[in-house]
């Protein structure tokens, strides 16, 4: 089936399905997977599950190449769930406290079901937890001792940069220098049930910020300059911390860095970084459209049904208000994807149960016609739908559960 008219392509592929629904174009998803492997050159890739949130597609990525060697999870419950699904080599990239003690009362029961991280570790599954302060370490030591298990951990390194009057980066870890990392390493050494396996430094201000945001030329020009000036600091800091830890005797098995938006610059640190994280590039959501060094193909979207026509060129759809996290602004709204030229109304945006769309183009829209939108971010789309409809070569080939469809919400 021809893709010349992409609106008609998806409309025909999804014909007869009740809307709204979320879908993934597998041909484009696979093309993005290949493009990501090419961008990362020889560097192994850690797949950010928060940007996928669907076990079936996570496994499709992992099966595409042995270079997809690990998973970056966003909660401990999620990591244990993924272990029950047969996944291994999981890094929980954000510190957890009470989750360590929590029992998974609703973990799916199957032949390989773990109820806790300790069951998974005892069965030789690799699940590593993130630490950035003594309290994180002592919490893990307490539970590790109680369960007679050594918990492998990773130190989260702050990669933000500061310029006079401007903090450029995210607020996560307080560990910035070799000395601070060494102090935490000494604390880990004093804990027999905690073991340091790696270091992670996510340069969010480079990986997660577009180079040329629409309608923000001046701001984008400033951001591009800041990114350029930030890069040498990121490299120097990551190298200094890893050197300090190695010289002090830490046996680091991995050094993780980057994200979809920074693959090219992160892999240049091949003497230090051993794996690059990638998540959003597989679905390629709206916020990843405007980077200078790459462009992945939009592969995930959702279809809304036109149910009303309040004016000749206004088509009101059912559903649609799926707003992305982050600083509230118009870039967090979903974007109308197809038909081309359709737009949200500035005073209404995407609504809680209805989304009016303005359209004056060549497609003949009528009650019952679909309008296709893209979420601003990647995995958050899956928090709105129980399933993803998979399309390939112009037809539906499968429909698989999201985490939400598995009955699971992790954060
Ligand atoms: C720790 C960490 N690494 C990497 C990433 C990059 O993920 P993505 O490729 O989806 O942008 C993120 C995103 O927030 C992150 O928090």
């Amino acid at each position: 089936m021809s893709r010349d008219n992409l609106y008609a392509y998806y409309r025909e592929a999804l014909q007869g399905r009740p809307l709204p629904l979320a879908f993934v174009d597998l041909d484009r998803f696979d093309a993005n997977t290949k493009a990501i492997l090419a961008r990362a050159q020889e560097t192994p890739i850690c797949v950010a599950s928060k940007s996928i949130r669907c076990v079936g597609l996570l496994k499709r990525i992992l099966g595409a190449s042995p270079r997809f060697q690990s998973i970056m999870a966003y909660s401990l419950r999620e990591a244990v769930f993924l272990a029950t699904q047969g996944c291994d080599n999981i890094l929980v990239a954000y510190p957890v406290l009470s989750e360590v003690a929590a029992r998974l009362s609703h973990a799916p029961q199957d032949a390989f079901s773990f109820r806790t991280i300790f069951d998974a570790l005892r069965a030789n599954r690799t699940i590593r937890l993130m630490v950035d302060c003594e309290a994180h370490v002592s919490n893990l030591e307490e539970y590790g001792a109680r369960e007679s298990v050594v918990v492998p951990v990773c130190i989260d390194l702050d990669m933000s940069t500061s310029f006079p009057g401007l903090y450029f980066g995210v607020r996560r870890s307080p560990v910035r220098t070799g000395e601070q990392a060494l102090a935490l390493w000494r604390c880990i050494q004093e804990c027999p049930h905690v073991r340091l396996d790696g270091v992670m430094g996510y340069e969010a201000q480079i990986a997660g910020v577009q180079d040329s945001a629409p309608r923000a030329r001046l701001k984008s020009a400033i951001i591009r300059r800041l990114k350029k000036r930030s890069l040498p600091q990121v490299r120097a800091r990551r190298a200094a911390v890893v050197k300090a830890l190695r010289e002090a005797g830490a046996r680091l098995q991995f050094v993780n860095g980057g994200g979809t938006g920074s693959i090219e610059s992160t892999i240049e640190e091949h003497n230090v970084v051993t794996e690059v994280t990638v998540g959003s590039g597989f679905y390629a959501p709206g916020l990843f459209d405007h980077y200078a060094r790459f462009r992945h193909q939009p592969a995930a979207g959702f279809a809304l049904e036109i149910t009303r026509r309040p004016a000749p060129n206004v088509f009101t759809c059912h559903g649609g208000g799926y707003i992305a996290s982050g600083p509230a602004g118009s870039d967090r709204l979903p974007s109308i994807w197809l038909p081309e030229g359709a737009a949200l109304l500035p005073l209404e945006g995407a609504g809680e149960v209805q989304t009016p769309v303005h359209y004056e183009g060549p497609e003949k829209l009528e009650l019952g016609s679909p309008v296709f939108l893209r979420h601003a971010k990647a995995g958050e789309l899956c928090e709105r739908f129980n399933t993803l409809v998979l399309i390939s070569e112009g037809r539906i080939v499968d429909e698989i559960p999201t985490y939400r469809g598995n009955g699971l919400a992790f954060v």
Side-chain angles (χ1 to χ4, degrees):
M1 193 186 274
S2 162
R3 283 177 177 270
D4 290 349
N5 179 341
L6 202 55
Y7 174 72
Y9 178 84
Y10 289 130
R11 185 190 58 207
E12 279 158 40
L14 294 170
Q15 195 144 30
R17 285 290 178 134
L19 306 183
L21 59 76
F23 66 96
V24 169
D25 181 329
L26 279 185
D27 306 322
R28 289 177 153 209
F29 182 86
D30 291 345
N32 289 342
T33 305
K34 282 200 185 105
I36 286 163
L37 284 166
R39 287 179 62 204
Q41 299 181 12
E42 299 304 310
T43 309
I45 296 168
C46 177
V47 182
S49 64
K50 78 175 182 62
S51 304
I52 308 294
R53 302 192 200 205
C54 167
V55 175
L57 290 179
L58 205 48
K59 287 190 173 175
R60 189 176 179 97
I61 296 168
L62 296 171
S65 164
R67 278 177 47 220
F68 293 116
Q69 65 167 20
S70 55
I71 299 174
M72 175 176 283
Y74 57 99
S75 102
L76 178 53
R77 287 178 58 232
E78 182 209 6
V80 175
F81 166 66
L82 290 176
T84 71
Q85 303 298 303
C87 298
D88 198 9
N89 205 0
I90 304 169
L91 172 65
V92 181
Y94 314 89
V96 290
L97 288 172
S98 55
E99 270 197 313
V100 180
R103 294 270 151 186
L104 291 179
S105 53
H106 56 289
Q109 297 300 316
D110 62 23
F112 212 92
S113 187
F114 304 113
R115 280 170 52 77
T116 68
I117 180 183
F118 304 109
D119 299 330
L121 292 173
R122 271 192 283 269
N124 290 326
R125 290 285 153 134
T126 303
I127 299 182
R128 297 177 170 116
L129 302 189
M130 198 57 61
V131 296
D132 69 32
C133 64
E134 292 192 10
H136 294 153
V137 177
S138 50
N139 184 50
L140 296 178
E141 172 61 19
E142 183 188 333
Y143 287 101
R146 200 182 291 177
E147 300 280 337
S148 303
V149 163
V150 176
V151 183
V153 298
C154 173
I155 292 180
D156 189 356
L157 184 59
D158 175 50
M159 285 283 128
S160 318
T161 40
S162 296
F163 301 105
L166 177 75
Y167 184 87
F168 191 47
V170 290
R171 303 277 185 179
R172 294 192 185 178
S173 170
V175 182
R176 282 179 201 97
T177 62
E179 295 82 71
Q180 288 166 331
L182 284 178
L184 195 52
W185 155 240
R186 281 191 280 274
C187 164
I188 293 169
Q189 277 184 305
E190 281 164 19
C191 296
H193 300 92
V194 180
R195 179 187 80 222
L196 180 66
D197 272 5
V199 170
M200 180 191 83
Y202 172 47
E203 59 271 43
Q205 73 277 24
I206 294 169
V209 183
Q210 301 184 94
D211 294 307
S212 47
R215 294 177 297 280
R217 282 181 61 184
L218 181 62
K219 190 175 163 203
S220 295
I222 296 169
I223 283 175
R224 285 197 298 276
R225 278 191 70 140
L226 290 174
K227 280 182 160 193
K228 209 167 160 192
R229 288 182 58 190
S230 181
L231 208 49
Q233 295 186 40
V234 163
R235 290 184 172 153
R237 194 179 313 164
R238 196 151 35 205
V241 170
V242 169
K243 183 165 180 276
L245 286 169
R246 288 221 159 102
E247 283 178 0
R251 281 202 289 259
L252 302 179
Q253 294 181 34
F254 67 95
V255 178
N256 178 294
T260 295
S262 75
I263 297 178
E264 287 78 4
S265 58
T266 307
I267 63 169
E268 279 178 27
E269 291 176 55
H270 46 78
N271 291 333
V272 176
V273 172
T274 64
E275 61 177 31
V276 63
T277 299
V278 183
S280 301
F282 298 97
Y283 293 161
L287 281 173
F288 283 80
D289 281 348
H290 301 284
Y291 282 79
R293 296 181 80 173
F294 66 91
R295 176 82 209 262
H296 293 301
Q297 302 184 42
F302 56 96
L304 303 180
E305 183 179 37
I306 296 171
T307 50
R308 327 176 81 174
R309 192 168 182 177
N313 296 323
V314 179
F315 303 86
T316 297
C317 303
H318 198 194
Y322 317 139
I323 313 300
S325 57
S330 58
D331 65 343
R332 304 288 139 168
L333 291 171
S335 54
I336 309 267
W337 183 10
L338 299 162
E340 264 175 50
L344 296 174
L345 304 190
L347 291 181
E348 287 199 54
E352 186 177 359
V353 280
Q354 297 201 121
T355 299
V357 170
H358 179 265
Y359 181 65
E360 291 189 43
E363 296 299 340
K364 191 172 170 320
L365 299 187
E366 50 198 21
L367 297 193
S369 298
V371 173
F372 302 108
L373 293 91
R374 292 163 69 207
H375 203 282
K377 294 184 87 173
E380 288 182 21
L381 171 65
C382 295
E383 297 299 337
R384 290 297 190 154
F385 292 91
N386 287 333
T387 61
L388 292 172
V389 172
L390 305 183
I391 297 175
S392 177
E393 297 183 354
R395 58 187 188 86
I396 295 173
V397 292
D398 208 349
E399 182 168 2
I400 55 175
T402 57
Y403 282 177
R404 175 184 151 145
N406 295 125
L408 298 165
F410 296 114
V411 289

